[in-house]
Amino acid sequence: MTADSVGFDRAATYYDATRGFPPGVDRGAAALVSRVGGLTPESRVLEIGAGTGRIALPVSRHIGEYYGIDVSASMLARLRGKQDGHKVYTAQADATYLPFPNSSFDAVIAVHVFHLIARWQHALREVARVLRPGGKLLHCWGGRMVTFDVLMTAWRSVIPDEENQTVGANYETQPDFLEDEGWQPLSAAEKYPFTYQKTPQEHVDQLAGRVWSRTWRLSDETLQAGIAAVQAALQAHYGDPTIPVTVETDFTAQAFQPPLG
Ligand SMILES: C[S@@+](CC[C@H](N)C(=O)[O-])C[C@H]1O[C@@H](n2cnc3c(N)ncnc32)[C@H](O)[C@@H]1O
């Protein structure tokens, strides 16, 4: 972890098991990214915060060269371990200081990363610098797990706001953070909907196990208070919390061009 970013070394062993797409969805998400970005077999693309390659590996099938950087060596090691003819080149690097010359890429992909970077505006300036004229930022994100809102409402009722903050861009309080920085949308946000099965109990166990980065800096006391509130909601709303429910969600992509001038 660099001083002002949340690196994912601690998540490398469980990231794919807890964030991976259901079978087949990776191909749909990759097709969406490629279409929204106008990517072709000639495209040269960089992903900042490439992690274990959840996006990089399937998207790399559609394009010429894919470069993935991440501050976490452990996450990138997982990516490399899954490479099977994928043309993905990885480097441990920080999005706020990209090790590439100006005008290097046709597109930069960022998926769930700006909220982890305290100097996210600086990272955006780096993205603009390495994009070729006419190049695009493809900003992508996953949908909220609305299915478990009753649990998350209970969680938020006891976790103080200041402890629930992200270190970087806060997509919830500032959903237009890119436009606020002068980036111009080239398309509407396009969604690829999908579903999967998960038990409410598993969701609570993941909160208690600090699977999500937002739980990493909570004190044990705060975490326990959150889990107690969620357990109460679990008992009140689910007869048998070990029965899987269908989670409806989506993967969204939107293309932006850098600020003019
Ligand atoms: C939530 S994961 C997303 C990984 C991948 N994009 C995906 O969608 O599966 C965020 C990744 O960003 C990385 N990260 C955090 N701060 C970073 C920074 N300043 N520069 C590069 N990577 C960073 C983390 O180490 C982690 O691997």
Side-chain angles (χ1 to χ4, degrees), residues 5-8 15 47 49 54 70-72 94-95 111-113 116:
S5 288
V6 181
F8 267 42
Y15 187 87
E47 183 181 354
R54 189 176 70 117
D70 202 294
V71 288
S72 166
D94 194 312
V111 189
H112 287 294
V113 65
L116 302 171

Side-chain angles (χ1 to χ4, degrees), residues 142-211:
R144 273 194 323 115
M145 282 181 274
V146 178
T147 312
F148 295 125
D149 261 1
V150 67
L151 301 178
M152 297 319 290
T153 300
W155 171 262
R156 278 191 292 272
S157 72
V158 296
I159 304 293
D161 275 353
E162 62 276 13
E163 295 201 46
N164 218 10
Q165 292 297 315
T166 58
V167 304
N170 189 332
Y171 309 156
E172 281 165 23
T173 58
Q174 195 191 3
D176 299 327
F177 73 103
L178 286 173
E179 289 169 68
D180 293 346
E181 293 298 312
W183 288 72
Q184 294 167 25
L186 295 167
S187 62
E190 288 194 43
K191 290 184 188 303
Y192 179 80
F194 62 95
T195 62
Y196 61 93
Q197 300 284 307
K198 186 176 184 183
T199 72
Q201 185 64 56
E202 193 183 347
H203 194 72
V204 176
D205 291 346
Q206 289 181 346
L207 278 171
R210 296 184 187 264
V211 157

Side-chain angles (χ1 to χ4, degrees), residues 238-261:
Y238 295 97
D240 180 352
T242 65
I243 295 175
V245 297
T246 300
V247 177
E248 295 187 3
T249 187
D250 53 68
F251 181 78
T252 302
Q254 188 171 23
F256 290 84
Q257 68 181 19
L260 300 173

Side-chain angles (χ1 to χ4, degrees), residues 2 4-9 15-16 19-21 47-56 69-73 75-76 92-98 109-119 123 140 213 216 251:
T2 61
D4 55 7
S5 288
V6 181
F8 267 42
D9 279 340
Y15 187 87
D16 286 344
R19 318 291 212 286
F21 290 126
E47 183 181 354
I48 56 170
T52 61
R54 189 176 70 117
I55 311 300
I69 66 104
D70 202 294
V71 288
S72 166
M75 293 287 275
L76 290 178
Q92 186 179 15
D94 194 312
T96 62
Y97 190 74
L98 292 173
I109 297 176
V111 189
H112 287 294
V113 65
F114 289 118
H115 67 295
L116 302 171
I117 306 174
R119 296 192 308 141
C140 312
S213 61
W216 292 350
F251 181 78

